[in-house]
């Protein structure tokens, strides 16, 4: 737990908007140095962990077992990484390569596209980072889609399509992210919100009708289990963030800057509602990830501006509360061990 708290503190203290002198050049150089060190800490803690993340041990066993489900049935990209790790008898390679790629893609997009990279980075760490340590295959797909968003903005459909194809080769669910291109470029915000309301209200009823058809009935248990899963609690947080985003959107005079990001996230709201907390929640991540770029726009609209430094406090508290809850229950994250000191555990 201490290691992960130290990680957040490193990001906050080293990447924040602070001045150490009145010299512009010195501040610029120090900011680059501090950011670089904080990102190094992030990579080190992420890539060299052992048994941190609920799915870690499952993936680890896939790597070391003589015959494993993962070696046969993983999507192409993670399967190749797994087979490479097995060839070199280096299970750490599997996690270092995948989680390293996730961080590179996400951080690159943040520093290229976010209007305030620090706020976007903190939001990623506090709201998404733990998930990226567990469902690593899907998060590799999410990271590719997030990075490929630049091609959505530039209306370069072929390049974005290639990103979707590569992401689908990491996790099949990534195919749903193809809709991001069309929602962002061709849906007005009012139309997207109208579609969201219709899907949110009528979606479950449509699914109930659909699962009465014999060919689809075999999949019904995936949806039913989703509605009762514990993962539905995090969905309420995303609903609250989305509601907050809508309030800012309707009160803002600069809504054109960020409105289409809200349209993308609205698709995720429908996914979690229609397909349940488990399956729908995982599908929704391809859309919720754009909160990373949206949050700084929302903070920019809040007044007075000098209070902006306090707007991230709820996310810090969520991060700490998550770790505390984990420490007294499953300890899937808080029992942090460096791979080099794992011993026979």
């Amino acid at each position: 737990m201490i290691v992960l708290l130290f990680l957040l503190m490193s990001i906050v203290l080293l990447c924040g908007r602070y001045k150490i002198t009145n010299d512009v050049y010195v501040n610029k150089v120090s900011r680059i140095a501090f950011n670089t060190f904080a990102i190094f800490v992030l990579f080190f803690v992420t890539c060299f962990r052992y048994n941190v993340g609920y799915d870690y041990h499952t993936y680890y066993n896939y790597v070391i077992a003589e015959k494993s489900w993962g070696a046969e049935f993983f999507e192409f990209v993670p399967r190749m990484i797994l087979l490479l790790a097995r060839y070199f008898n280096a299970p750490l390679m599997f996690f270092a390569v995948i989680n390293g790629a996730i961080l590179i893609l996400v951080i690159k997009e943040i520093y290229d596209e976010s209007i305030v990279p620090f706020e976007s980075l903190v939001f990623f760490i506090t709201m998404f980072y733990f998930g990226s340590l567990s469902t690593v295959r899907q998060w590799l797909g999410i990271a590719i889609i997030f990075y490929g968003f630049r091609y959505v903005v530039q209306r370069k459909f072929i390049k974005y399509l290639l990103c979707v194809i590569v992401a689908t080769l990491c996790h099949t669910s990534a195919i749903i992210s193809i809709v991001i291109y069309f929602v962002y470029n061709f849906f007005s915000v009012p139309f997207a919100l109208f579609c969201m309301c219709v899907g949110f209200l009528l979606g479950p009823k449509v699914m109930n009708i659909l699962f009465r058809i014999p060919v689809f009935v075999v999949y019904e248990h995936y949806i039913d289990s989703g509605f009762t899963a514990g993962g539905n609690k995090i969905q309420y947080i995303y609903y609250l963030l989305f509601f907050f985003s809508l309030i800012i959107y309707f009160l803002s005079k600069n809504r054109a800057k960020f409105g289409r990001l809200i349209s993308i996230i609205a698709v995720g709201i429908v996914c979690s509602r229609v397909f349940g907390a488990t399956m729908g929640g995982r599908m929704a991540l391809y859309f919720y990830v754009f909160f990373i770029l949206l949050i700084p726009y929302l903070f920019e609209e809040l007044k007075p501006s000098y209070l902006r430094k306090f707007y991230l406090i709820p996310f810090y508290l969520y991060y700490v509360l998550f770790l505390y809850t984990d420490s007294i229950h499953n300890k899937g994250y808080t029992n942090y061990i460096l791979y080099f000191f794992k011993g026979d555990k």
Side-chain angles (χ1 to χ4, degrees), residues 296-311:
Y297 282 113
L298 301 181
F299 288 171
E300 195 173 56
E301 298 298 315
L302 296 177
K303 307 299 179 186
S305 58
Y306 64 82
L307 291 177
R308 186 166 183 163
K309 65 183 69 175
F310 300 108
Y311 296 157

Side-chain angles (χ1 to χ4, degrees), residues 49-93:
R49 73 194 192 278
Y50 175 74
N51 204 23
V52 179
Y54 293 130
D55 293 347
Y56 186 100
H57 216 62
T58 300
Y59 285 120
Y60 186 88
N61 288 333
Y62 285 154
V63 176
I64 65 175
E66 291 186 10
K67 292 183 179 180
S68 69
W69 183 88
E72 295 185 26
F73 297 108
F74 273 1
E75 292 84 353
F76 178 77
V77 173
R79 186 168 74 250
M80 291 300 102
I81 298 173
L82 185 149
L83 292 176
L84 190 65
R86 292 181 65 166
Y87 178 80
F88 288 102
N89 192 28
L92 176 64
M93 180 184 292

Side-chain angles (χ1 to χ4, degrees), residues 112-147:
D112 285 351
E113 302 293 336
S114 175
I115 61 170
V116 184
F118 169 67
E119 292 173 347
S120 293
L121 182 60
V122 167
F123 187 85
F124 167 69
I125 295 297
T126 55
M127 297 301 296
F128 293 122
Y129 176 66
F130 291 128
S132 74
L133 299 181
S134 192
T135 54
V136 297
R137 286 161 45 224
Q138 184 186 12
W139 257 100
L140 182 57
I142 293 170
I144 292 170
I145 295 301
F146 185 61
Y147 177 83

Side-chain angles (χ1 to χ4, degrees), residues 104-305:
I104 290 172
L105 291 166
V106 171
I107 292 172
K108 175 65 174 171
E109 181 67 8
I110 285 175
Y111 279 90
D112 285 351
E113 302 293 336
S114 175
I115 61 170
V116 184
F118 169 67
E119 292 173 347
S120 293
L121 182 60
V122 167
F123 187 85
F124 167 69
I125 295 297
T126 55
M127 297 301 296
F128 293 122
Y129 176 66
F130 291 128
S132 74
L133 299 181
S134 192
T135 54
V136 297
R137 286 161 45 224
Q138 184 186 12
W139 257 100
L140 182 57
I142 293 170
I144 292 170
I145 295 301
F146 185 61
Y147 177 83
F149 179 65
R150 61 190 62 205
Y151 303 124
V152 175
V153 176
Q154 298 166 10
R155 292 201 170 198
K156 295 180 178 179
F157 177 70
I158 299 301
K159 288 187 176 181
Y160 180 68
L161 179 61
L162 289 175
C163 289
V164 173
I165 291 172
V166 175
T168 304
L169 291 175
C170 297
H171 200 276
T172 309
S173 62
I175 190 65
I176 193 176
S177 59
I178 189 66
V179 306
I180 291 173
Y181 184 89
F182 302 100
V183 171
Y184 184 87
N185 287 307
F186 301 110
F187 282 34
S188 67
V189 178
F191 181 69
L193 293 177
F194 171 77
C195 293
M196 182 203 73
C197 292
V198 172
F200 195 85
L201 294 174
L202 301 182
K205 295 181 181 179
V206 173
M207 295 305 293
N208 287 334
I209 295 173
L210 184 65
F211 287 125
R212 293 175 185 174
I213 303 174
V215 70
F216 294 115
V217 72
V218 68
Y219 299 104
E220 186 176 12
H221 71 282
Y222 290 110
I223 307 300
D224 289 341
S225 63
F227 283 119
T228 58
N232 59 5
K233 294 179 182 178
I234 186 65
Q235 297 304 319
Y236 296 138
I237 295 178
Y238 291 128
Y239 289 165
L240 182 62
L241 284 174
F242 185 74
F243 181 70
F244 169 72
S245 303
L246 287 181
I247 293 175
I248 300 299
Y249 172 78
F250 287 117
L251 294 177
S252 173
K253 296 180 180 179
N254 301 308
R255 61 182 65 171
K257 293 181 179 180
F258 59 87
R260 286 184 289 180
L261 287 171
I262 291 178
S263 297
I264 293 174
I265 295 168
V267 181
I269 297 293
V270 174
C271 287
S272 61
R273 168 66 172 167
V274 173
F275 297 104
T278 301
M279 185 171 75
R282 293 187 64 168
M283 293 169 62
L285 284 173
Y286 292 100
F287 308 96
Y288 288 161
V289 72
F290 291 97
F291 271 122
I292 293 174
L293 299 180
L294 176 62
I295 287 297
Y297 282 113
L298 301 181
F299 288 171
E300 195 173 56
E301 298 298 315
L302 296 177
K303 307 299 179 186
S305 58

